Amino acid sequence: MKSSASLCEDRERCLITNMGRFTPLLFGCTSVTFIFSIFILFSPLPLAPTIPKQLHQDDDHTTPLIKPHQSDERCDLFKGHWVPDEKGSPYTNWSCTTIPDSKNCFKHGRKDTDFVNWRWKPQGCHLPRFDPATFFRLFQGKKLAFVGDSVSRNHMESLLCLLSQEEVPRDIYKDSEDRFRTWYFPRHDFTLMILWSKFLVEGEERMSNGTASGVYDLYLDKIDNSWAQKVPEIDFAIISNAHWFFRPMYLHKGGKVMGCVYCNEEGVEEVGVGFALRMAFRAAFEYINGCEKCKGMVTLLRTFSPAHFENGSWNTGGGCSRTSPLGKGEVDLASFERQLGNIQVEEMERAKRGGDIRVVKFGALDVTTAMLMRPDGHPGAHWGNKWMKGYNDCVHWCLPGPIDAWNDILLAVLVREAG
Ligand SMILES: *[C@@H]1O[C@H](CO)[C@@H](O)[C@H](O)[C@H]1NC(C)=O
Ligand SMILES: *[C@@H]1O[C@H](CO)[C@@H](O)[C@H](O)[C@H]1NC(C)=O
Ligand SMILES: *[C@@H]1O[C@H](CO)[C@@H](O)[C@H](O)[C@H]1NC(C)=O
């Protein structure tokens, strides 16, 4: 019998795989293809391999630390490169007992260990490594919820590992499918939750002859209540999502179909993944801005997390077996993935302008560029076929691994805000 955790992940994997049916144009791609290969279609500039020189210079000592009231405009947490850091990860698969099997790369035979020996070096500033004591000080008595899909969960699991080095949490709530989970740290009165949502707005999969079709209806004027109803009790929300938008779907608004993604249907306009993503984030942020009970909540957008399939996609034998990061010059900042991240940031900025900043605060954790450089950070082919049944997971991230940097960034953003 399967554990509920693997059921949850299996189901998502199946749906991601379904998408592969719509990517027959990709077989010509033999070079490095990022995220589901589909992107290649939108990305006119394939990456040219170059030597990542900047990986080996650490300008730590020439740039200022992140300080409260950091006003140095040159400091950009979201641009930079990865530098070697022999200190490695602050936790291991022994010291963190909550690493799910599917992300426990060392347990599943990953032999190269270099991928944990890198640190994100933002432009113009030094990013301190995650400090659980500082985190708990800021979050004493607070509730933080991750809202999103399995990559959002991956982020939450990283935070759980980092925090559990300071205090072992209590696992206080889990629904039958392990989609919603709550952890509590009694010594610090801190609550950490994951609220599952594929699209942020309501989305339903069409059934065809009693089986799931892989085609979705998205209702842009209906917020997914599974997270929305919890918002009044949350102090901090980290909102993400994108991977589910790569499926055929129909977008509904005001009782009408306003367009589709990969539907190939006469009379229905193809609006593209980016548009669908934009409208869903717009709806989610507008909901937060307009929600009486959301007053005082801090909303952080975690931007698109790229996948790194090479030589194919999920179901065409694609994999990710690199063992070191790419350099700054090796990632394509005009890529479709970066554009998706930009769309999300634009919608966050729009919400910021449209809302009352005295009551709702918005911010970004823009991890897209940093993660474009980490093809080496996925479970990929490094371990057995237990979860993926022959597929390589180049979407989620190993724990420990580069995803831990998202929490270094999270803490830096919050320290800056709190200062
Ligand atoms: C941790 O990883 C090692 C390999 O580095 C593996 O032998 C061990 O079973 C793993 N332990 C746990 C608790 O996952
Ligand atoms: C619907 O499912 C039944 C039973 O699985 C099958 O016999 C039938 O051919 C299917 N019909 C269509 C239109 O796919
Ligand atoms: C993709 O194919 C190239 C050329 O055959 C090979 O060198 C590379 O290792 C492959 N990558 C993966 C992840 O299988």
Side-chain angles (χ1 to χ4, degrees):
M1 212 182 103
K2 286 184 204 138
S3 73
S4 53
S6 76
L7 260 179
C8 136
E9 289 171 324
D10 262 1
R11 203 168 142 238
E12 178 160 1
R13 197 269 306 151
C14 288
L15 288 158
I16 290 173
T17 306
N18 272 338
M19 188 205 53
R21 289 189 282 125
F22 300 87
T23 60
L25 295 165
L26 308 166
F27 294 108
C29 304
T30 53
S31 62
V32 175
T33 63
F34 285 97
I35 184 78
F36 301 151
S37 306
I38 290 175
F39 287 135
I40 270 294
L41 299 175
F42 298 86
S43 171
L45 303 164
L47 302 168
T50 53
I51 309 297
K53 278 199 210 80
Q54 63 271 45
L55 290 180
H56 301 292
Q57 70 186 45
D58 188 353
D59 36 339
D60 253 354
H61 305 292
T62 61
T63 48
L65 288 169
I66 287 174
K67 294 190 225 73
H69 299 301
Q70 172 69 260
S71 58
D72 185 347
E73 280 179 9
R74 287 169 309 149
C75 171
D76 187 338
L77 285 173
F78 311 134
K79 290 186 182 139
H81 58 278
W82 294 86
V83 293
D85 184 356
E86 262 149 43
K87 278 205 284 302
S89 167
Y91 65 91
T92 66
N93 68 356
W94 293 109
S95 71
C96 176
T97 56
T98 51
I99 300 175
D101 215 42
S102 57
K103 324 276 174 17
N104 194 342
C105 297
F106 288 127
K107 178 179 169 192
H108 288 284
R110 183 159 183 171
K111 294 285 186 290
D112 63 302
T113 54
D114 265 1
F115 74 99
V116 299
N117 298 330
W118 298 90
R119 188 166 53 73
W120 176 241
K121 170 67 186 72
Q123 188 173 297
C125 42
H126 168 70
L127 176 63
R129 292 295 284 261
F130 189 86
D131 175 40
T134 306
F135 183 94
F136 280 131
R137 258 200 311 282
L138 286 171
F139 281 91
Q140 178 95 33
K142 303 286 191 215
K143 288 186 179 164
L144 166 64
F146 285 86
V147 177
D149 59 17
S150 60
V151 181
S152 178
R153 174 150 190 153
N154 202 173
H155 185 185
M156 191 273 291
E157 285 156 351
S158 158
L159 183 58
L160 198 57
C161 281
L162 292 164
L163 293 176
S164 67
Q165 306 307 296
E166 176 87 7
E167 182 184 356
V168 177
R170 277 193 218 145
D171 187 357
I172 60 169
Y173 175 76
K174 177 167 137 179
D175 72 317
S176 63
E177 283 188 278
D178 194 10
R179 291 283 169 112
F180 297 83
R181 190 98 173 241
T182 307
W183 301 83
Y184 182 61
F185 296 78
R187 253 195 315 122
H188 298 93
D189 186 23
F190 170 63
T191 308
L192 182 59
M193 318 183 204
I194 176 84
L195 304 175
W196 169 259
S197 183
K198 297 191 275 263
F199 302 109
L200 303 176
V201 295
E202 226 172 75
E204 272 167 32
E205 189 170 5
R206 289 190 180 176
M207 302 301 284
S208 118
N209 200 10
T211 56
S213 65
V215 177
Y216 285 80
D217 287 300
L218 243 64
Y219 299 94
L220 293 169
D221 34 24
K222 289 186 194 145
I223 297 300
D224 182 355
N225 203 37
S226 62
W227 69 272
Q229 64 174 357
K230 298 274 187 8
V231 159
E233 57 184 90
I234 295 166
D235 302 295
F236 291 84
I238 299 180
I239 296 193
S240 57
N241 269 348
H243 291 283
W244 286 78
F245 288 79
F246 288 86
R247 293 166 177 76
M249 58 173 68
Y250 293 84
L251 305 182
H252 300 257
K253 196 166 184 184
K256 291 200 191 90
V257 173
M258 66 184 295
C260 72
V261 177
Y262 306 133
C263 73
N264 220 349
E265 192 177 306
E266 231 177 284
V268 186
E269 191 192 351
E270 281 281 345
V271 292
V273 172
F275 181 81
L277 191 70
R278 182 186 291 285
M279 296 316 278
F281 274 78
R282 183 172 297 181
F285 291 152
E286 275 176 1
Y287 168 77
I288 291 170
N289 257 341
C291 151
E292 256 318 285
K293 291 172 178 161
C294 302
K295 281 189 174 162
M297 186 167 85
V298 175
T299 303
L300 295 176
L301 155 74
R302 192 267 297 151
T303 64
F304 183 58
S305 165
H308 292 92
F309 288 98
E310 290 185 38
N311 302 340
S313 60
W314 280 92
N315 51 353
T316 59
C320 42
S321 53
R322 288 175 184 252
T323 53
S324 58
L326 299 176
K328 236 193 291 195
E330 289 179 285
V331 298
D332 179 4
L333 295 179
S335 65
F336 187 54
E337 299 125 293
R338 187 51 266 183
Q339 286 173 35
L340 290 181
N342 293 347
I343 285 172
Q344 294 172 317
V345 172
E346 280 161 28
E347 288 306 315
M348 189 274 295
E349 294 291 345
R350 187 179 198 273
K352 219 175 181 172
R353 288 193 304 274
D356 181 348
I357 50 161
R358 287 166 306 177
V359 293
V360 190
K361 263 182 172 290
F362 286 97
L365 304 175
D366 189 341
V367 301
T368 306
T369 301
M371 300 320 273
L372 280 168
M373 298 178 195
R374 294 312 301 267
D376 57 330
H378 300 284
H382 296 283
W383 50 288
N385 294 326
K386 296 193 177 172
W387 171 40
M388 301 307 290
K389 302 194 183 93
Y391 296 90
N392 296 317
D393 182 0
C394 303
V395 173
H396 301 97
W397 304 92
C398 293
L399 294 174
I403 192 173
D404 296 321
W406 298 7
N407 290 312
D408 299 344
I409 295 173
L410 167 65
L411 189 53
V413 165
L414 293 168
V415 165
R416 207 142 71 161
E417 286 293 321

